[in-house]
Amino acid sequence: GYGIGQSTQYTTWSTNVVAPQAMTMTHVPPPYEDYTGRAMFAAFCCCWPLGLCALIKASEARKSYQVGDSETARSQADQARQLSNISIGVGCASFVLLFTFIVLYYTVILYSFSD
């Protein structure tokens, strides 16, 4: 037993209560297509001046998105897409015209000299 003059030890437990802090939700726009690949294709394979402009716009769109200006990034990405599509269209039309010219040259002009 506990007699007179004996000391007793008590163990004390401390508990830490951690309350979660209020979270703030920020709206992060979803990743978007900046059309860099299409612009590179247009610059190297189709009409290079328009493709180069599209590539510059795609680069500006990527930079604007990284800064956080999503509205400007979307606008510049749309311009890059439009310039790429125009460049591809001009490139395809020029190939068709070149092919038509070559066919006409070999069939009409060379045929007339063979007589």
Side-chain angles (χ1 to χ4, degrees):
Y2 296 107
I4 299 177
Q6 289 181 329
S7 70
T8 57
Q9 266 185 332
Y10 294 103
T11 306
T12 58
W13 297 91
S14 65
T15 55
N16 294 331
V17 177
V18 179
Q21 294 186 1
M23 295 177 55
T24 58
M25 301 297 288
T26 57
H27 175 66
V28 177
Y32 67 99
E33 176 73 29
D34 62 357
Y35 303 103
T36 302
R38 187 184 297 187
M40 289 176 73
F41 173 75
F44 293 124
C45 298
C46 298
C47 181
W48 69 267
L50 288 174
L52 185 63
C53 291
L55 195 57
I56 290 170
K57 284 294 181 183
S59 175
E60 290 174 358
R62 183 175 296 219
K63 287 178 186 176
S64 294
Y65 186 75
Q66 289 173 347
V67 170
D69 188 5
S70 62
E71 187 64 35
T72 303
R74 290 222 183 259
S75 171
Q76 289 173 337
D78 287 341
Q79 290 176 2
R81 178 181 46 86
Q82 290 172 348
L83 287 171
S84 297
N85 289 343
I86 292 170
S87 176
I88 291 169
V90 168
C92 290
S94 66
F95 283 127
V96 167
L97 287 174
L98 180 65
F99 181 75
T100 304
F101 176 75
I102 290 172
V103 168
L104 287 175
Y105 177 77
Y106 281 112
T107 57
V108 174
I109 296 174
L110 290 179
Y111 182 73
S112 65
F113 285 126
S114 66
D115 287 340

